[in-house]
Amino acid sequence: MTSYTQAYSRSTLEIGLAEPLQFPHRRYNPLRRSWVLVSPHRTDRPWQGEVNKSSGFSDVHYDPQCYLCPGNTRAGGHVTPKYESVYVFDNDYAALLPDSPDPQRGHAPELLRAERERGRCRVLCFHPDHSLTLARMDVADIRRVVDAWTEEYRTLGAVPEFRYVQIFENRGAMMGASNPHPHGQIWTTEHIPDEPRAETEAQVEYRKSHGTCLLCDYAALEARETARVICENERFLAVVPWWAVWPFEMLLVTKQHRRSLLDFDDADRNGLADILKQVTTRYDNLFETSFPYTMGFHQAPCDGEPHDAWHFHVHFYPPLLRSATVRKFMVGFEMLGMPQRDITPESAAERLRQLPTQHFALR
Ligand SMILES: [Zn+2]
Ligand SMILES: [Zn+2]
Ligand SMILES: [Zn+2]
């Protein structure tokens, strides 16, 4: 039987004293002002290169049962038109409504507080072809999606009742995506939700105390250090962030200061389309599967304030850990204390960086 002390001293020898970041430590996330526990001694062992048997891809270009395929009838009798590039509509089962009443009761107890939350939920079909994903679309087609995201952010953000526009994509059944058709969602809300609110406060305070932008400084630092960089283009840098919680979490940041999609010029829009293609291809190549994730944009709220401290970025939160079927769960200490990870962000970045840039399905 091995005692804790023996086990500890053995791992101490294996790891080597010269690398303090190979021992358990916690890392600070300056955007959310929270911590993540990193325990690299547990699984930072040589890569086994496990590969999934089935690719998880559909060969079906048109599915008569899919409500997002062109020409099909949706719930409630709405018909999805025969669109040829992108198509946006209000979700038939929206989580938010434009005209909800105020829930405040006459003498409600302070501890039972409620507020009205008006909003809209939109669905954006990326492409008419049922079998595609961002990883398998042409950059020119993704550029049309970028243009559609920008127009939605512009028009929804201009509505005075709405203060935030959340653009996101849930990819794969593991993330609860009910339909494989390439599509994303756009939810807009009367209040700024907790995540972007926390990031707003962190960026404003950083700018106050440093006189510079938090993510401009962070992008420059990561470009210098290179250990966490996955890939880049003229306008975007893709990293596994220092504070990543999910095993292969990614952060895409604009190299120039951009508050939102509305600050983007033509080259920025092309850059976003290109970097999305690059990183989703690497994800699929990692376990040779259609890689599941939640991806979303964080950008300046639409509440009429200038938000000069805000820096546009994209989060990718993928659940997979070691193979196409082994996922990470946020349970136990992570639900009660703080998130924890085993492989370091540096080793995750190295794996993603070394993958081929061509999609495995084309090889
Ligand atoms: Zn479809
Ligand atoms: Zn910036
Ligand atoms: Zn963010």
Side-chain angles (χ1 to χ4, degrees):
M1 199 166 142
T2 316
S3 73
Y4 283 127
T5 321
Q6 283 166 336
Y8 180 76
S9 50
R10 190 174 62 234
S11 69
T12 304
L13 284 174
E14 281 167 5
I15 291 161
L17 288 165
E19 296 176 74
L21 285 179
Q22 295 303 316
F23 288 88
H25 61 278
R26 65 177 194 161
R27 295 193 185 188
Y28 184 61
N29 177 345
L31 260 183
R32 290 189 74 258
R33 296 193 284 191
S34 58
W35 295 88
V36 53
L37 178 64
V38 186
S39 316
H41 62 299
R42 297 218 304 184
T43 61
D44 242 11
R45 52 185 178 236
W47 180 234
Q48 300 300 311
E50 287 179 63
V51 164
N52 193 30
K53 293 273 189 299
S54 90
S55 72
F57 282 113
S58 163
D59 299 327
V60 179
H61 302 287
Y62 168 78
D63 177 356
Q65 302 301 319
C66 169
Y67 62 94
L68 302 178
C69 274
N72 291 353
T73 303
R74 307 200 304 269
H78 300 284
V79 174
T80 298
K82 295 199 167 168
Y83 63 101
E84 288 179 350
S85 64
V86 296
Y87 171 58
V88 199
F89 63 96
D90 278 309
N91 195 322
D92 301 315
Y93 298 101
L96 293 149
L97 299 169
D99 50 6
S100 307
D102 192 331
Q104 204 50 256
R105 296 162 293 159
H107 296 287
E110 184 192 341
L111 295 179
L112 301 178
R113 187 174 157 190
E115 280 183 358
R116 180 179 62 188
E117 187 71 271
R118 293 176 294 183
R120 256 176 101 179
C121 297
R122 310 264 288 159
V123 177
L124 167 57
C125 297
F126 297 163
H127 200 284
D129 186 333
H130 186 82
S131 72
L132 290 180
T133 61
L134 283 178
R136 304 209 302 168
M137 281 167 63
D138 295 333
V139 173
D141 287 337
I142 303 176
R143 165 63 199 259
R144 279 187 275 279
V145 179
V146 172
D147 291 342
W149 280 326
T150 308
E151 279 322 297
E152 288 297 308
Y153 178 82
R154 187 193 312 280
T155 50
L156 292 168
V159 177
E161 293 82 38
F162 299 152
R163 293 186 180 83
Y164 198 73
V165 178
Q166 182 58 60
I167 293 168
F168 65 100
E169 179 196 11
N170 280 338
R171 178 82 220 153
M174 201 177 268
M175 296 308 282
S178 52
N179 187 327
H181 195 106
H183 72 286
Q185 303 190 52
I186 302 152
W187 290 22
T188 179
T189 48
E190 180 168 3
H191 301 94
I192 302 171
D194 287 352
E195 291 290 318
R197 175 171 296 286
E199 292 190 359
T200 303
E201 290 165 6
Q203 290 176 99
V204 165
E205 286 200 13
Y206 186 94
R207 195 172 134 109
K208 248 187 229 157
S209 56
H210 294 74
T212 50
C213 163
L214 193 163
L215 282 180
C216 279
D217 287 357
Y218 180 66
L221 181 64
E222 289 292 22
R224 275 201 308 277
E225 292 222 339
T226 69
R228 285 167 297 278
V229 174
I230 300 153
C231 57
E232 63 183 308
N233 60 29
E234 188 199 334
R235 297 303 173 100
F236 276 86
L237 188 71
V239 301
V240 178
W242 169 257
W243 53 82
V245 166
W246 296 94
F248 294 95
E249 183 175 330
M250 243 190 242
L251 179 75
L252 317 183
V253 279
T254 53
K255 290 182 176 176
Q256 285 86 13
H257 187 72
R258 304 282 188 258
R259 293 166 300 172
S260 75
L261 286 168
L262 299 189
D263 285 347
F264 278 32
D265 61 21
D266 192 57
D268 291 324
R269 291 189 189 199
N270 285 336
L272 179 55
D274 172 73
I275 202 84
L276 286 172
K277 168 87 178 174
Q278 284 197 47
V279 298
T280 53
T281 300
R282 284 172 193 274
Y283 267 165
D284 281 5
N285 285 343
L286 183 62
F287 301 127
E288 301 207 343
T289 191
S290 186
F291 198 80
Y293 56 74
T294 279
M295 176 274 280
F297 301 169
H298 273 158
Q299 50 188 330
C302 313
D303 55 359
E305 300 298 322
H307 289 295
D308 292 327
W310 250 98
H311 190 123
F312 178 94
H313 57 277
V314 184
H315 294 286
F316 274 89
Y317 298 131
L320 292 183
L321 178 58
R322 274 195 301 277
S323 73
T325 49
V326 179
R327 62 158 299 168
K328 175 188 172 64
F329 289 96
M330 292 276 225
V331 295
F333 185 76
E334 306 192 285
M335 285 184 101
L336 298 159
M338 65 170 149
Q340 182 268 338
R341 64 177 293 132
D342 292 343
I343 61 166
T344 60
E346 292 74 27
S347 83
E350 191 182 358
R351 278 179 205 166
L352 289 165
R353 190 166 53 237
Q354 286 172 353
L355 289 165
T357 52
Q358 189 192 34
H359 198 277
F360 73 90
L362 301 172
R363 292 201 296 273

